[in-house]
Amino acid sequence: MPAEDQDRNKQVQQLATAIQNREAKVVIIGLGHVGVPVACVVAQAGFPVIGIDRVHEKIEQINRGICPIQGLEPGLSELLAEMVKSGHFRASMDYAECRDAQVILIAVETPVDEITKRPNYEVLRSVLKDLGRNLAAPILVVVESTIAPRTMEKFVKPILEAESGLTVNRDLYLSHCPERVMPGRLLANIKSCSRVVGGMNPEAAHLALDFYRHFVEAELDLTDCLTAELVKTAENAYRDVQIAFANEVALLCESVGANVYRVRELVNKSPYRAMHLPGAGVGGHCIPKDSWLLIAEAGDKFEPRVIPAARAVNDNMPFHMVELIQQALQKAGRRLDEAKVVVLGYAYLENSSDVRNSPSAPVINRLKELGAEVVIHDPYVEEYRGNLSTMIQGADGLVVMVAHSEYAELNLGELRQSLRTSILVDGRNLFDKEMVHKAGFVYTGIGNI
Ligand code: SAJ
């Protein structure tokens, strides 16, 4: 066997052994909702972990044992403090930490451009360049961020090879292993959710598999990078399309005077049906953008129609909420530009403080554009905490944008005393229509007007 191949095999073996023995130094780039819990779990599995991020205060917080992730994440703060204290996890801003690493995980944001809906890889590009200049063979680089199909081949591989001088599948092993974390369950998901492990070649896939097997208790499905890119973006686009279908049925129910939630309940009694929930909009850090990543490479080969249409239906739901508010006020003889409206919920998801792509934002902006006075309440979002009884004084309508549990407990009869006009617009089917009517309110809601 030629010396070069012998050397290559030796390097792969070295890397595989370091991973199997948990001696491999692991560097995790991007300390956000994915990077922080992953760093803690990898450290807990026994690997020495360095986290890299560009935000200095985040580095400071972590190295003081403080978790920078907001929101209710069971066990995360405690695990981070323990891993920092034991010396298994440290944060840094210095990419030089990658020079003696054997495994690199990249978990940085991969948004889409607001207008063009094209992938915005500026952060990913910057990270890859800084990383590439600090890579030493042999090395396994895993991209966990959600990326459009062909990104590993067309974008990640050329930048890393150009900056490092290494060669993919010889001393640089590339993998795409998309995360499947959900707010509120970050730690649990990393261990319990099955994962797709894509490799630029079978050896890379197996190196990644051996790594993830140390801390993922669920199934690990081996495949290539392209398939892994398609699986992640398609699984979220699937959810977006399902939600759009539910929203379209809701609008149909409004037009014929039916209750979409009763329709959905009975539809789902039919085998193999799982109609999603209609609602006031689709927010979050992944569902709204992953559909655009999925179709980013359609190019001139074909024109995707279902996926963009689903996005348009879901993006319109906040504006439909404003129409329902306007109609309810008109019925009560109130003009929107003379009304005070209380928006209940700013987070994108119930019982969460995560406000990324919040559907409440377009509702609030549109109401203000139309001249309404808007008051925002959210028990989980610092900026909007407050005494709801005080905030609703003299208001003309309560708008339920988020199904936070505490809103379901509200005493509407009591609240009604403080309102000028008793209107409730329900964007999340949080209240029973008859119960609200009995409390003296005019009720209208998505799919149940
Ligand atoms: N939503 C609806 N109707 C539904 C479900 C959700 O309107 O039937 C809205 C929510 O109110 C929210 C948005 O869609 O504004 C997104 O909700 P989500 O439940 O999908 O929550 P996410 O954004 O945290 O999605 C994550 C995704 N997980 C990963 O990306 C790993 C998604 O694939 C999961 O299905 C989802 O969590 C989950 O299962 O909770």
Side-chain angles (χ1 to χ4, degrees):
M1 179 190 290
E4 191 178 290
D5 289 351
Q6 283 178 13
D7 177 47
R8 178 183 162 288
N9 289 348
K10 193 162 147 274
Q11 298 219 23
V12 172
Q13 198 42 55
Q14 263 177 356
L15 191 46
T17 306
I19 289 171
Q20 273 144 24
N21 298 346
R22 306 177 202 226
E23 290 156 358
K25 175 180 177 182
V26 180
V27 174
I28 294 169
I29 302 173
L31 298 175
H33 284 72
V34 174
V36 166
V38 168
C40 294
V41 169
V42 172
Q44 188 183 37
F47 289 94
V49 176
I50 300 287
I52 291 183
D53 199 283
R54 59 182 174 177
V55 177
H56 186 260
E57 64 183 325
K58 211 181 267 188
I59 306 300
E60 291 286 295
Q61 271 183 312
I62 289 171
N63 289 335
R64 288 203 311 273
I66 297 165
C67 180
I69 303 297
Q70 304 299 320
L72 312 172
E73 291 299 343
L76 184 57
S77 297
E78 297 81 354
L79 182 58
L80 183 140
E82 187 192 336
M83 290 300 107
V84 170
K85 189 165 178 232
S86 69
H88 275 90
F89 175 32
R90 181 166 54 81
S92 168
M93 296 181 81
D94 186 357
Y95 275 82
E97 290 284 359
C98 302
R99 290 178 192 158
D100 62 343
Q102 285 76 44
V103 178
I104 310 283
L105 302 188
I106 299 174
V108 294
E109 59 177 22
T110 50
V112 294
D113 180 275
E114 274 296 302
I115 311 298
T116 66
K117 303 302 181 189
R118 295 293 304 159
N120 172 353
Y121 286 157
E122 284 324 303
V123 172
L124 182 60
R125 179 193 304 277
S126 159
V127 161
L128 289 169
K129 283 185 172 293
D130 288 340
L131 171 62
R133 288 192 283 271
N134 291 279
L135 278 187
I139 187 93
L140 169 65
V141 176
V142 184
V143 174
E144 289 211 352
S145 306
T146 304
I147 48 180
R150 300 186 61 213
T151 299
M152 290 300 289
E153 180 62 37
K154 276 180 36 178
F155 189 82
V156 175
K157 174 173 176 281
I159 294 176
L160 285 183
E161 284 190 322
E163 294 295 335
S164 68
L166 301 182
T167 307
V168 165
N169 296 342
R170 199 187 67 199
D171 44 20
L172 165 57
Y173 294 90
L174 288 185
S175 166
H176 175 45
C177 184
E179 46 77 19
R180 280 178 170 160
V181 294
M182 301 158 201
R185 292 173 271 175
L186 295 180
L187 273 193
N189 281 158
I190 289 169
K191 295 179 180 175
S192 64
C193 281
S194 73
R195 295 187 74 147
V196 176
V197 182
M200 198 57 90
N201 74 343
E203 273 164 334
H206 279 97
L207 285 167
L209 183 78
D210 288 348
F211 174 68
Y212 281 97
R213 201 176 264 138
H214 284 302
F215 54 92
V216 175
E217 292 143 17
E219 210 170 359
L220 292 168
D221 297 303
L222 273 183
T223 185
D224 56 272
C225 283
L226 177 61
T227 303
E229 290 163 333
L230 285 158
V231 166
K232 173 64 188 179
T233 49
E235 72 189 33
N236 279 353
Y238 165 85
R239 188 166 175 83
D240 198 47
V241 169
Q242 289 290 338
I243 296 168
F245 174 79
N247 284 330
E248 190 132 283
V249 172
L251 297 177
L252 286 167
C253 286
E254 288 181 18
S255 60
V256 297
N259 176 347
V260 70
Y261 297 95
R262 179 65 175 152
V263 167
R264 170 180 178 270
E265 180 192 350
L266 300 176
V267 162
N268 286 345
K269 285 188 183 247
S270 168
Y272 315 119
R273 299 318 189 266
M275 185 170 156
H276 281 40
L277 284 166
V282 175
H285 55 296
C286 47
I287 303 298
K289 78 173 168 75
D290 291 358
S291 296
W292 297 117
L293 290 175
L294 172 61
I295 62 175
E297 286 298 301
D300 50 6
K301 299 180 185 65
F302 90 105
E303 185 67 35
R305 288 183 294 172
V306 171
I307 290 167
R311 285 277 70 240
V313 167
N314 290 338
D315 278 349
N316 184 56
M317 292 313 286
F319 299 100
H320 183 63
M321 280 294 287
V322 175
E323 288 163 7
L324 292 180
I325 296 163
Q326 217 159 4
Q327 289 157 19
L329 285 168
Q330 269 160 359
K331 269 189 202 155
R334 286 270 174 235
R335 290 161 48 99
L336 190 56
D337 58 6
E338 292 166 353
K340 175 181 174 183
V341 177
V342 182
V343 172
L344 299 180
Y346 195 80
Y348 84 86
L349 202 61
E350 60 274 12
N351 304 326
S352 162
S353 62
D354 196 331
V355 297
R356 288 175 290 181
N357 292 315
S358 162
S360 303
V363 170
I364 291 157
N365 295 338
R366 185 70 182 131
L367 286 172
K368 287 180 175 173
E369 271 172 21
L370 294 172
E373 181 193 345
V374 183
V375 171
I376 308 161
H377 178 270
D378 191 308
Y380 289 89
V381 180
E382 190 65 39
E383 188 182 350
Y384 300 125
R385 284 201 186 108
N387 180 324
L388 187 57
S389 312
T390 314
M391 294 164 92
I392 67 168
Q393 289 299 327
D396 298 296
L398 303 179
V399 179
V400 179
M401 283 300 295
V402 186
H404 288 321
S405 306
E406 79 170 57
Y407 290 148
E409 310 304 316
L410 288 175
N411 180 330
L412 295 180
E414 245 175 55
L415 289 182
R416 185 167 169 267
Q417 310 307 322
S418 309
L419 294 168
R420 182 173 65 167
T421 320
S422 307
I423 287 168
L424 190 141
V425 182
D426 195 347
R428 298 290 177 193
N429 190 40
L430 188 63
F431 292 99
D432 171 75
K433 189 173 189 174
E434 292 320 310
M435 184 276 281
V436 175
H437 280 153
K438 285 200 181 101
F441 281 77
V442 169
Y443 177 98
T444 186
I446 295 280
N448 186 18
I449 53 176

